[in-house]
Amino acid sequence: MVLLGAGCQTVNTTETAQPAFQRNMVAEKRVITDGSLARKVQVQGVNVSEGPGGFLKVQAEVLNTTRSYQRFAYKWEWFDKDGNVVEGPSSVAVTRQVEGKESLFIQGVAPNPTVRDFRLKLYENAR
Amino acid sequence: MNRSLVSALVAAAVAVLLGGCSTQATYVDPGSTRTLSNVGEINVQDWNMASEAMVSSLIAKHINSGNLKGSGPDGRAVLAISRIVNNTSIQIDTDILVKKIRVSLLGTGKVVADITAGLGGPEDPLAAEAKREAQFLGTQKVAARPDYTLSGKIIENRTRQGNRNESTYVFQMALATRDGLAVWEEEKTITKQSKRSAVGW
């Protein structure tokens, strides 16, 4: 029983009822090939902003829908106005860990101001 | 069965066994999670994550906010690399981190790197000589000093509890102006754990 309980540690969260910020949420299209991961770690929403320097900044809220600790990796892909891939620092897989029922934000910044669009990939087999 | 036949059979058996043990190398994407990692070293994935964190932070906090001021071509900021201290127990080439950061910053179109200035002498001696010549002759307006310098430190912390090993690598970086004021600083901590096998040697 102790062993079973050790794997399940969930997170209690408190936040303001009416947040002072307004997120610019974007409509997404999701392609899910790994149903196992999609059942565990889900993207709740994606919002974008752009600073004075013209770099696109993207933030995705990810929720661990299970009651157990999960590991996953994510990678950003960036595209210019013509749809060409723009390689950048965040074009590498970054591993993250999330407690049961916890949500966290993952952020990406475009590698240069020519970037107009993005894609977020989630991987399950992260160590 | 004579001795030579036995020897030949043994040699053949050994060859078959060794042949069966040989492994073929496979290529993996260095930007993926398929690369190998262990507790005692800073691995490819760690360098990737550290550089990603540093560059994203630098872009988000300093470059994208419009705070970058430059005297280089097209108003780009001139960056030189200062000292990156390795305070870990392992021998590492800090260029693995610095080069990734430089390549990414150059890719922003807002920064150029000065490879004629460096603590251990210029990275490109020929470019340094050409710059000195141009400054002496006054044929080209070349900035004498970089607008920014990038410095950093890598720190290691190891601990063990029961049969679990843990290594923490802390990557610290700072960007300073000509006046010596740090206008951006970032710290990325990477912690790895592993379980020791019951039968160790």
Side-chain angles (χ1 to χ4, degrees), chain A residues 70-92:
Chain A
Q70 299 291 338
R71 299 170 198 274
F72 68 100
Y74 68 89
K75 186 195 268 189
W76 295 100
E77 283 183 345
W78 304 101
F79 304 93
D80 64 13
K81 64 178 176 54
D82 300 315
N84 296 315
V85 174
V86 180
E87 291 290 338
S90 43
S91 302
V92 295

Side-chain angles (χ1 to χ4, degrees), chain B residues 150-168:
Chain B
L150 189 71
S151 62
K153 192 173 190 180
I154 305 170
I155 305 165
E156 177 189 43
N157 185 12
R158 291 189 188 204
T159 187
R160 195 165 69 187
Q161 190 174 32
N163 65 342
R164 296 191 79 85
N165 289 329
E166 184 179 281
S167 285
T168 296

Side-chain angles (χ1 to χ4, degrees), chain B residues 98-157:
Chain B
V98 172
K99 195 69 172 180
K100 284 181 199 297
I101 293 172
R102 264 175 47 179
V103 168
S104 298
L105 290 180
L106 200 64
T108 63
K110 308 281 186 184
V111 178
V112 287
D114 185 351
I115 55 173
T116 63
L119 289 173
E123 184 181 324
D124 186 340
L126 204 57
E129 184 62 36
K131 182 181 173 182
R132 266 198 301 274
E133 203 171 286
Q135 281 172 331
F136 177 74
L137 296 172
T139 53
Q140 196 179 344
K141 193 186 169 192
V142 184
R145 288 192 299 165
D147 299 307
Y148 296 94
T149 53
L150 189 71
S151 62
K153 192 173 190 180
I154 305 170
I155 305 165
E156 177 189 43
N157 185 12

Side-chain angles (χ1 to χ4, degrees), chain B residues 12-100:
Chain B
V14 168
V16 166
L17 282 172
L18 287 176
C21 290
S22 69
T23 53
Q24 195 178 356
T26 51
Y27 290 98
V28 293
D29 178 3
S32 73
T33 57
R34 291 183 182 272
T35 56
L36 299 178
S37 62
N38 59 12
V39 162
E41 291 174 66
I42 303 175
N43 307 114
V44 174
Q45 210 175 321
D46 305 324
W47 292 118
N48 284 343
M49 288 199 291
S51 65
E52 188 273 334
M54 292 300 163
V55 175
S56 293
S57 168
L58 188 48
I59 292 175
K61 292 178 182 171
H62 197 67
I63 300 176
N64 198 24
S65 58
N67 290 328
L68 201 70
K69 304 280 184 290
S71 61
D74 305 326
R76 284 190 274 181
V78 181
L79 174 76
I81 307 299
S82 184
R83 181 171 289 133
I84 310 290
V85 178
N86 172 21
N87 218 0
T88 70
S89 62
I90 49 177
Q91 192 179 358
I92 50 176
D93 189 339
T94 53
D95 268 356
I96 300 175
L97 180 68
V98 172
K99 195 69 172 180
K100 284 181 199 297

